[in-house]
Amino acid sequence: MTRPAVLHWQAPPHARPRVVARRTGRQAQGIAPGGPLDQCSAQTCNSLLQQDHQLPVLEWDMTELHLTCLQPCQVVIGGAPRQVLVQGQPALRYHTLSLQPGMSVTLGPACGGVVGYVAVRGGIGECGDRRLACLSAIAPLTRDYRRPPWHTWAAAWAPPAGTLRCLPGPEWGEQWRPFLKGPYQVSANRDRRGIRLTGVTIPPSLSCDIVSGPTVDGAVQMTPHGPIILHRDRGTIGGYARPWILIPTDLNIATQLPTNTPLTFTLL
């Protein structure tokens, strides 16, 4: 049965809104797990709606996004910091918002991050013409839930600013230790497949002389043109050295680093 659309979105073309969900068990067929780039932010949005944290969410890039409610629904906005207006009035991120038909939600450009998320009670799916449908009929919440962004309440164990924590990768060796400190910068050359870094030249003798092998989310692949942090839609096989792999939390942090942010790595 086709479910009615609950939201209609409008955004600049380069915002690239898309519904994303994690898919597992298909890497052997050459399909990466995918899913939200900043998994912790997306999962927090779903958790605040008291539902499976792996349900699909709407993800978009740094620019503004406008939503119009078509059917009664409850949503949570998360991800990069930005202004949230409901019917022109300020509203909170990471807070359950109850919407009625005709209500508008304006999400301003990101300020201090990259990707944003919209989760809907019951999950969402695309139904064409920039409309989003609820995946399942589920009773609305009878109270509002709120929580600060995950990187706020996780500050006690967060790494120092500009430092990403990692574990040794398949090609780790002492020859790679000098490269941990970089310094690197986040380049504008980034997408769902990876984040390219600039600042350090990798000798081809170190990066290329290996047998191709499987990749994982957060692996730092050392190419002759600079390191690439492999992301959710990465290739499943790589032919460059992977001396270290970001821990999952810090891959989420890397996702939200704006272009030109300086960074280094530290081995745990």
Side-chain angles (χ1 to χ4, degrees):
M1 181 180 68
T2 302
R3 297 197 176 275
V6 295
L7 292 171
H8 179 270
W9 61 263
Q10 289 182 300
H14 55 280
R16 295 176 293 182
R18 60 261 173 187
V19 172
V20 293
R22 193 77 170 163
R23 51 182 184 260
T24 58
R26 302 176 68 184
Q27 180 148 315
Q29 287 77 47
I31 301 174
L37 293 177
D38 180 355
Q39 286 192 359
C40 199
S41 290
Q43 291 173 3
T44 299
C45 291
N46 272 324
S47 296
L48 288 173
L49 291 166
Q50 303 297 293
Q51 61 191 13
D52 185 347
H53 65 268
Q54 296 282 16
L55 281 175
V57 294
L58 181 70
E59 176 183 89
W60 82 103
D61 293 339
M62 299 177 67
T63 59
E64 67 272 14
L65 182 73
H66 302 277
L67 302 172
T68 302
C69 180
L70 305 176
Q71 297 286 338
C73 62
Q74 291 176 308
V75 305
V76 170
I77 312 298
R82 66 184 70 240
Q83 184 183 51
V84 179
L85 299 176
V86 178
Q87 292 293 89
Q89 298 300 312
L92 297 174
R93 296 182 308 126
Y94 296 104
H95 174 76
T96 308
L97 303 175
S98 297
L99 305 179
Q100 295 298 321
M103 294 180 69
S104 64
V105 180
T106 301
L107 307 173
C111 48
V114 178
V115 294
Y117 295 96
V118 178
V120 177
R121 173 80 168 160
I124 53 174
E126 297 182 79
C127 56
D129 195 26
R130 296 178 295 181
R131 294 178 301 162
L132 303 170
C134 187
L135 294 180
S136 61
I138 187 169
L141 298 173
T142 57
R143 56 161 289 191
D144 290 342
Y145 292 86
R146 65 181 68 187
R147 180 183 295 172
W150 69 270
H151 48 76
T152 300
W153 45 262
W157 47 267
T163 301
L164 298 177
R165 297 165 295 184
C166 53
L167 298 172
E171 284 76 48
W172 170 256
E174 286 302 312
Q175 72 273 22
W176 288 108
R177 191 172 294 278
F179 292 92
L180 285 168
K181 296 302 180 183
Y184 302 99
Q185 280 190 319
V186 177
S187 81
N189 187 1
R190 62 194 297 170
D191 56 23
R192 289 188 52 82
R193 296 171 297 175
I195 303 170
R196 186 176 290 278
L197 307 179
T198 60
V200 174
T201 300
I202 309 299
S205 59
L206 285 179
S207 64
C208 300
D209 191 19
I210 68 166
V211 176
S212 295
T215 64
V216 296
D217 290 355
V220 179
Q221 190 167 256
M222 295 296 191
T223 78
H225 304 291
I228 300 174
I229 301 174
L230 299 182
H231 228 315
R232 310 300 182 191
D233 287 347
R234 57 185 161 74
T236 56
I237 297 291
Y240 295 106
R242 300 144 296 168
W244 55 81
I245 300 168
L246 297 188
I247 65 172
T249 297
D250 286 20
L251 179 56
N252 295 321
I253 292 173
T255 296
Q256 299 290 8
L257 294 177
T259 300
N260 296 325
T261 299
L263 63 86
T264 62
F265 298 94
T266 184
L267 201 64
L268 298 181

